[in-house]
Amino acid sequence: MTRQEAPDTVAPEAGPVPGEATRRYLRALAERGPVSVDWSAAPPTHKRYPTAGRVVLPWRAPSPIGDLLRGLLGVTRAEWTHRTGVRLKRPAPSGGALYPIEAYVALGDPAGLYHYDPAHHALDLVRVGDHRTLLHASLTCPPAEVPDMVVVLTAVFWRNGFKYRDFAYRLHCQEVGVLGAQVLVVGESSGLDTAVHLRFDDAVCQSLLGLDPTREGVLAAFTCTSGAGAAAGPLPRSSATGEEHPPPSVVGRLPHLSALHAAAAAATGSGALPALPPVPAGPLVALPAPRALRLADGLPLRGSPEIGFLPREIDARDLATILAHASAGYPGDVPGCHRAPVTLTPHILVQRVRGVPAGAYRYDPDTGRLVATAGTGRVEAGPLQPNTREALPEASAILVPAGDQTAGIAGFGDRWYRLQQAEAGLVVHRGALAAAAAGLAARIHSDGTNPITDAALGLSDPVHGLSFLLLGVPRPGMTVTAPLR
Ligand SMILES: Cc1cc2nc3c(=O)[nH]c(=O)nc-3n(C[C@H](O)[C@H](O)[C@H](O)COP(=O)(O)O)c2cc1C
């Protein structure tokens, strides 16, 4: 037997295979069974920092920072229903109303990096100094000038992870997309030029915030400028103030979430986009021209209905308006997103829309038409939660963004998962705001995304539904949602 020659050069140690964490995560979600919720493991509902450097934001006087943060995450609504009594709610939806997303804001005046405390509508100082320049430089596609403020969103993983386990990451990523849609509308109302950033140097942002990424991870940043220009200060060396009760690490608790977050944070891709599935060649349904409607008008009216819908027809023009807004481009850093969302395609199940035959369709944003898809079976046959089963037959239509969860790994590595889920959240929240502005109601039902729904929509592997938004006519007088100001 001949001994093998030792190689002249030692092969570099293989790094993690791009996409492996995503594939394992998707497999784990597909294989998970029912989970029992241990409510005694629930962590605090909100974060506290020492109040020494606190800036209390004005409740009534206009304040660009205060209005923006309150419009994103403030405690702004009282909802009164027969089923749940009176509950305080926030402006944008959150899975299970657990609100795992935190906001930090870098300002030039008063200079500092702050944590937004929604319960007290106040900013708590995390790090002294002007850190906008550093955050601006950490963005993959920074705006031309240093912005007036940079808002960084993080997810406290265990906040909803104790309930949803590894599935919580999907909610975290969708919720930053929801908040991306919300910030663009709130920012526009406040005269701010705002953009959504999903691609940045995670390590820089994470260490600036002084956070342990196994407990709380950075997921998005918003740049906001009023047009007045901003002075970039010197970079001070300062240490971050520690939070009062850090959340637990989820490495052992939520292994697939932890691995995917770490892989997405480290991902550096070429940024090349995969092609979206072509519009199928099915029967076409022309929709009327969308109404001229402002998403901002939906902000004070939006709320997820607790008790389903009135089983009534909606106007085809309202459907056209919702679809046009949901599929519109947005200012962000995913290549091509200024024209339209680029990681997914919008699908719609029509149940009760005047003039549109019931059935499954793909919406073509370029022509504003619906293209019938060859769906099989009924969504009702799927594994649905009781509230979804109740509301589904009453809904007028269901908006489902769909995409291939691995197609973008070649261009974006494991970051693709975040980008696509964020776009899914952005699309459904724009749909919900447009519905509210048109006098309709909408609710996300995540359990509606399953293989039975995919078949009913005519989707086939590797393309799957990413979210599931029921749209319909609200039941009057059953839910009172009062804005708190
Ligand atoms: C990403 C995401 C997933 C959600 N999934 C569900 C769901 O599966 N079932 C459900 O009834 N509501 C779901 N919701 C709606 C929330 O329960 C709702 O937003 C929350 O109770 C707050 O109420 P609001 O929307 O009226 O502000 C989801 C919301 C978001 C943002």
Side-chain angles (χ1 to χ4, degrees):
M1 210 165 98
T2 55
R3 263 184 52 198
Q4 238 178 347
E5 295 269 327
D8 291 339
T9 52
V10 178
E13 209 177 294
V17 179
E20 193 50 34
T22 302
R23 292 193 177 90
R24 279 180 200 214
Y25 180 83
L26 294 174
R27 249 191 329 269
L29 290 195
E31 288 167 3
R32 87 204 145 115
V35 276
S36 59
V37 180
D38 176 6
W39 287 94
S40 70
T45 50
H46 64 287
K47 282 191 84 175
R48 295 295 300 271
Y49 279 85
T51 53
R54 170 163 286 197
V55 178
V56 177
L57 294 164
W59 274 97
R60 293 195 175 277
S63 144
I65 304 154
D67 295 350
L68 190 88
L69 292 170
R70 184 164 48 200
L72 275 178
L73 289 171
V75 181
T76 50
R77 293 159 55 222
E79 189 188 78
W80 186 7
T81 67
H82 283 293
R83 284 195 198 185
T84 53
V86 180
R87 289 203 301 179
L88 292 181
K89 288 191 149 185
R90 306 218 197 164
S94 168
L98 292 173
Y99 304 106
I101 306 300
E102 298 284 335
Y104 298 80
V105 57
L107 298 175
D109 183 20
L113 179 70
Y114 299 88
H115 171 252
Y116 178 57
D117 175 344
H120 301 91
H121 192 44
L123 297 176
D124 290 324
L125 188 63
V126 173
R127 196 185 276 277
V128 294
D130 185 348
H131 300 282
R132 293 169 305 160
T133 313
L134 185 60
L135 286 171
H136 178 254
S138 78
L139 302 173
T140 303
C141 305
E145 306 285 336
V146 173
D148 291 355
M149 55 178 139
V150 183
V151 179
V152 179
L153 295 189
T154 63
V156 176
F157 299 131
W158 194 239
R159 177 87 49 77
N160 61 348
F162 83 94
K163 180 177 180 193
Y164 297 113
R165 316 304 301 182
D166 286 296
F167 182 75
Y169 199 59
R170 178 153 157 145
L171 297 174
H172 299 140
C173 296
Q174 291 197 0
E175 288 187 28
V176 297
V178 163
L179 292 167
Q182 185 87 359
V183 82
L184 294 173
V185 179
V186 176
E188 193 182 343
S189 304
S190 309
L192 294 172
D193 192 0
T194 307
V196 176
H197 299 265
L198 301 169
R199 301 167 65 208
F200 42 80
D201 187 329
D202 283 46
V204 168
C205 299
Q206 197 75 42
S207 87
L208 188 67
L209 296 176
L211 298 173
D212 172 354
T214 68
R215 301 159 191 260
E216 179 175 353
V218 176
L219 289 178
F222 306 145
T223 48
C224 312
T225 295
S226 65
L235 293 181
R237 292 170 65 80
S238 60
S239 58
T241 306
E243 58 204 299
E244 287 189 342
H245 304 286
S249 162
V250 293
V251 169
R253 292 173 160 90
L254 308 173
H256 300 291
L257 178 157
S258 302
L260 178 52
H261 181 68
T268 49
S270 62
L273 276 175
L276 288 171
V279 178
L284 298 175
V285 177
L287 291 174
R291 278 182 220 294
L293 164 153
R294 281 166 25 99
L295 291 187
D297 293 338
L299 289 173
L301 302 170
R302 189 211 64 83
S304 303
E306 281 291 331
I307 31 98
F309 307 88
L310 283 180
R312 302 256 168 88
E313 279 193 326
I314 64 168
D315 212 279
R317 198 154 178 224
D318 285 332
L319 181 67
T321 309
I322 291 167
L323 288 170
H325 276 285
S327 321
Y330 64 95
D333 63 355
V334 188
C337 70
H338 292 79
R339 216 178 69 76
V342 289
T343 63
L344 48 80
T345 52
H347 294 252
I348 191 94
L349 272 165
V350 171
Q351 300 197 139
R352 290 187 186 83
V353 180
R354 216 163 291 124
V356 181
Y361 300 91
R362 170 152 159 201
Y363 175 66
D364 181 357
D366 290 335
T367 61
R369 289 189 301 205
L370 298 178
V371 186
T373 56
T376 54
R378 293 181 58 77
V379 177
E380 282 82 349
L384 301 176
Q385 295 293 323
N387 73 330
T388 309
R389 201 165 283 296
E390 204 176 336
L392 175 65
E394 301 168 345
S396 306
I398 302 120
L399 171 62
V400 179
D404 178 343
Q405 297 176 90
T406 53
I409 287 171
F412 295 91
D414 291 283
R415 193 75 159 208
W416 175 252
Y417 186 81
R418 280 197 205 167
L419 305 183
Q420 188 179 53
Q421 296 296 329
E423 278 205 336
L426 181 132
V427 163
V428 290
H429 191 51
R430 284 185 153 190
L433 288 174
L440 300 173
R443 184 178 189 118
I444 302 171
H445 289 256
S446 301
D447 49 306
T449 54
N450 59 56
I452 306 288
T453 298
D454 289 345
L457 282 165
L459 301 175
S460 53
D461 200 42
V463 177
H464 299 281
L466 304 169
S467 181
F468 188 87
L469 182 78
L470 294 187
L471 296 156
V473 177
R475 291 182 182 276
M478 295 292 281
T479 303
V480 176
T481 304
L484 302 173
R485 273 201 81 101

